[in-house]
Amino acid sequence: EILLTQSPATLSLSPGERATLSCRASQSVSSSLAWYQQKPGQAPRLLIYDASNRATGIPARFSGGGSGTDFSLTISSLEPEDFAVYYCQQRSNWPPEATFGQGTKVEIK
Amino acid sequence: QVRLQESGPGLVKSSETLSLTCTVSGGSMNSYYWSWIRQSPGKGLEWIGYIYYSGTTNYNPSLKSRVSISVDTSKNQFSLRLSSVTAADTAVYYCARNYCGSTICHLYFDYWGQGTLVTVSS
């Protein structure tokens, strides 16, 4: 099983600041990685797939990068609605399997 | 707009079988894969398995011996059964649609239900 480690666990920032979140895989996942945003009491929302592609309706301030074992999610300028928990997720083709990281909480400083 | 809604008992006794149904509205189930995912404080987000609209399934190896997912496209529903539950199976259970691009589907999740809390009691 491929393990995903996210860092930091918590990121304290102010609105308007830049946020950079990290996700490291225990072995190469190529570009097969997604990012989700989850707010309290809500289901996760797909932000980024295949490492760098924004999902439908996702604002341009969200961008993803990386390949192999090291990935990042950048929020260029934090809006009030961006304070949430963010998860990375990798997918394997065979056997089909998906695993999630433990999450990074972006909180208001 | 595709919507998913989970339904089923919120309380299940230890050693019994957990059963949930997901109803899909606003779109067809055809040509898509449909997944169950759960979230608990202890284990975080965990993919349980998926089913194709035609009935093909794949399960998380860690749960494979206890899981069964079925589909009824005439009702626009798919269902989860998890047997021999313990307290470790207490979680919020989500149903979700697997993401499909223009030519291929992937094990990402673009539409989710609101989630339903299932508690396993002793």
Side-chain angles (χ1 to χ4, degrees):
Chain A
E1 179 182 328
I2 296 175
L3 299 180
L4 298 177
T5 302
Q6 292 187 240
S7 61
T10 303
L11 197 52
S12 298
L13 295 168
S14 301
E17 289 193 295
R18 182 184 188 90
T20 303
L21 289 65
S22 175
C23 178
R24 176 164 290 177
S26 59
Q27 64 190 77
S28 176
V29 298
S30 185
S31 295
S32 301
L33 190 110
W35 290 92
Y36 298 82
Q37 176 194 68
Q38 186 177 33
K39 297 179 180 179
Q42 297 184 16
R45 177 174 70 142
L46 178 65
L47 300 175
I48 302 287
Y49 66 94
D50 285 347
S52 61
N53 296 295
R54 274 190 300 276
T56 302
I58 301 304
R61 65 181 181 272
F62 291 93
S63 62
S67 66
T69 60
D70 291 302
F71 299 87
S72 62
L73 173 70
T74 299
I75 310 170
S76 59
S77 178
L78 283 163
E79 297 288 339
E81 62 267 27
D82 298 337
F83 292 91
V85 180
Y86 293 83
Y87 294 95
C88 57
Q89 175 239 318
Q90 68 84 24
R91 62 171 181 87
S92 305
N93 283 333
W94 194 259
E97 193 168 346
T99 55
F100 293 84
Q102 81 280 16
T104 289
K105 182 179 183 180
V106 179
E107 65 175 23
I108 300 176
K109 186 174 181 181
Chain B
Q1 177 79 343
V2 175
R3 294 187 185 274
L4 295 85
Q5 178 69 57
E6 305 89 352
S7 59
L11 188 63
V12 181
K13 292 183 179 179
S14 183
S15 80
E16 296 189 344
T17 296
L18 178 159
S19 295
L20 296 174
T21 295
C22 182
T23 301
V24 180
S25 59
S28 171
M29 294 190 72
N30 291 352
S31 302
Y32 284 96
Y33 296 80
W34 304 88
S35 283
W36 286 97
I37 297 158
R38 67 183 183 180
Q39 185 173 29
S40 62
K43 298 190 78 172
L45 286 160
E46 182 178 30
W47 172 71
I48 299 170
Y50 70 65
I51 189 163
Y52 193 42
Y53 77 102
S54 62
T56 302
T57 55
N58 265 294
Y59 303 127
N60 187 323
S62 68
L63 297 168
K64 189 172 183 177
S65 63
R66 300 193 291 129
V67 172
S68 176
I69 299 176
S70 59
V71 65
D72 185 342
T73 54
S74 68
K75 294 182 178 179
N76 260 28
Q77 293 178 334
F78 63 107
S79 299
L80 169 71
R81 287 172 60 85
L82 180 66
S83 64
S84 305
V85 298
T86 69
D89 296 309
T90 293
V92 175
Y93 285 76
Y94 295 100
C95 57
R97 191 184 80 171
N98 293 18
Y99 168 79
C100 288
S102 55
T103 58
I104 192 170
C105 296
H106 292 305
L107 202 47
Y108 305 126
F109 314 104
D110 59 355
Y111 287 94
W112 296 62
Q114 65 185 23
T116 187
L117 174 63
V118 178
T119 302
V120 177
S121 69
S122 54

